[in-house]
Each structure stands twice: as structure tokens, then as C-alpha cells.
Amino acid sequence: MTLAPGVYCFTSSAQLTGNLTLAGPANGLWVFQVASALTTGTSAQVILSGGAQAANVFWQIGSSATIGQTTAFQGNIIAAVSVTLVQGASLHGRALSKAGVTMDTNIITLP
């Protein structure tokens, strides 16, 4: 799936099991508002194209975010409860939460 800049709302949980491409200019802004949990499957990817920047991608999570094994994730995760990066997951962005961030052999790079 390919998404243009915008605000995307999920009234419950959200799951990413494949590839999600965010296509837009360098000043494009993507905001994902998830009412409860965000989870990704193994080897899922958030791909930036057309100049899109990880610094302009925000994931607002109502409870917890779990980034699956070997997932390549982009953007700033802001979770009300926790963020878990499963073994081998990578994040180009930031992970912020009230309760904490759990990591296991992960690579995080700032945008």
C-alpha cells in the first residue's frame, strides 16, 4: 500500500504485515492515530519514497506498540503505555512511551 501525506485514524488496533510506502515531498507530514495497539509482523517495512522523511512521520498509539522481528520501521512512535522492539527490528526515528521502551538487539537511528 502507498499513502500520500495526511492524517490516518484507526478506531481500534492496527497491524502492519507487509510493506507500507509513504510517498511524498520532503515537507510531507504523515500522522497515524491508533486508538489502542500497533503491531507489525515479521519483516514488515515502512518505506519512504519521493523525498519523504522519517522525521515527518508520527505514530500516536493509544496503548502499546510492538515492532516485530526484523521489521524496518520509520517514524516517531509515541505510545501511551509502552514500545517493544522485538529482536532484530530497526527504527529510523524515535520511540517514546510513558512506561518504557524494551529493546532486543535493535538498531535505532535518529532521523
Side-chain angles (χ1 to χ4, degrees):
M1 175 178 284
T2 300
L3 297 176
V7 177
Y8 299 90
C9 299
F10 298 82
T11 58
S12 60
S13 62
Q15 184 173 23
L16 175 63
T17 57
N19 294 341
L20 172 62
T21 301
L22 305 179
N27 65 348
L29 179 66
W30 291 260
V31 177
F32 296 90
Q33 297 176 324
V34 181
S36 60
L38 169 68
T39 58
T40 72
T42 300
S43 300
Q45 292 187 47
V46 176
I47 302 163
L48 305 178
S49 71
Q53 297 183 33
N56 295 340
V57 179
F58 296 90
W59 302 85
Q60 179 185 357
I61 312 302
S63 62
S64 298
T66 303
I67 309 305
Q69 187 172 5
T70 65
T71 290
F73 204 78
Q74 306 270 351
N76 302 290
I77 304 168
I78 305 161
V81 178
S82 65
V83 178
T84 301
L85 298 167
V86 178
Q87 184 179 28
S90 64
L91 172 63
H92 184 204
R94 293 172 175 84
L96 308 166
S97 76
K98 289 182 181 179
V101 176
T102 304
M103 298 172 38
D104 182 4
T105 321
N106 306 109
I107 297 173
I108 297 179
T109 54
L110 295 177

